[in-house]
Amino acid sequence: MDPQTLAAAGIPALGWALHGGLLLRRLATARRDPLTGLHTRAGWTARADHLMSKHPGALVLLVDLDDFKAINDTHGHAAGDAVLTATADRLTTWCGRHGIAARLGGDEFAAIVTDPAHTPGLLALRAALEQPVTHLGHVLRVSASVGHCHRDHLPVPLLTDALSAADASMYAAKGHGRRNTR
């Protein structure tokens, strides 16, 4: 094959390779929340489902920030973004090497920890989430309701069932006032 024919054949292949690379990067970006860097619901669910099937001691958490709308309404969306980012950092730190966290949307977060014995515990998570956030000289009070479910407490160890149980636990915590964990 002469060099001109080879070059003519190679140009479309190069274009498809570049296009494929861009699509892969977009897919990876779609699975990460641009504000917090955490997994999105789609990215987290696939990984969490896999971890649930492999780790009998897994712990699933749902976290919902209490009165988050008031922060946005009073201090603006940039302050709300600062609270969301701080919450993401605190949840990621708490999970450590044994878990992954996600921002499911709005002010709702999720996490799965494969070996809860290697985390500081739910009271430590609550204490971390309650730390105030400083934004533009304002100290923002933060609280969260945390619900959890241990995989081994489920009759059928499915992520959807664990999330439902954690959601019920979280709303029970909300029913007992701010700054609660159930």
Side-chain angles (χ1 to χ4, degrees):
M1 194 178 287
D2 68 65
Q4 289 175 335
T5 305
L6 189 58
I11 290 173
L14 178 61
W16 280 110
L18 288 172
H19 180 70
L22 288 172
L23 285 176
L24 284 174
R25 190 169 29 214
R26 281 187 179 167
L27 181 60
T29 301
R31 293 185 177 182
R32 292 283 181 170
D33 175 53
L35 176 65
T36 64
L38 294 180
H39 292 277
T40 60
R41 182 182 299 272
W44 181 81
T45 301
R47 293 192 65 199
D49 198 32
H50 175 76
L51 292 173
M52 278 281 291
S53 68
K54 296 216 175 272
H55 298 277
L59 174 68
V60 174
L61 301 170
L62 283 179
V63 176
D64 188 68
L65 295 175
D66 299 327
D67 301 323
F68 179 72
K69 185 179 181 320
I71 292 172
N72 275 337
D73 291 349
T74 304
H75 301 284
H77 289 281
D81 289 351
V83 169
L84 293 172
T85 302
T87 301
D89 292 344
R90 293 165 182 177
L91 185 56
T92 299
T93 299
W94 183 84
C95 287
R97 296 186 357 242
H98 299 280
I100 57 171
R103 180 175 173 211
L104 300 182
D107 63 341
E108 188 175 26
F109 296 83
I112 184 168
V113 177
T114 58
D115 189 358
H118 286 94
T119 61
L122 292 174
L123 292 177
L125 173 61
R126 189 178 81 192
L129 295 174
E130 288 180 356
Q131 294 300 311
V133 174
T134 303
H135 176 73
L136 298 177
H138 297 295
V139 176
L140 308 172
R141 290 190 57 219
V142 180
S143 69
S145 295
V146 179
H148 69 282
C149 176
H150 290 273
R151 177 191 184 262
D152 56 2
H153 293 169
L154 296 168
V156 179
L158 297 175
L159 180 62
T160 54
D161 293 340
L163 286 170
S164 291
D167 190 55
S169 172
M170 181 182 68
Y171 278 99
K174 280 190 176 294
H176 287 91
R178 293 176 57 167
R179 295 185 174 97
N180 280 297
T181 303
R182 270 198 85 86

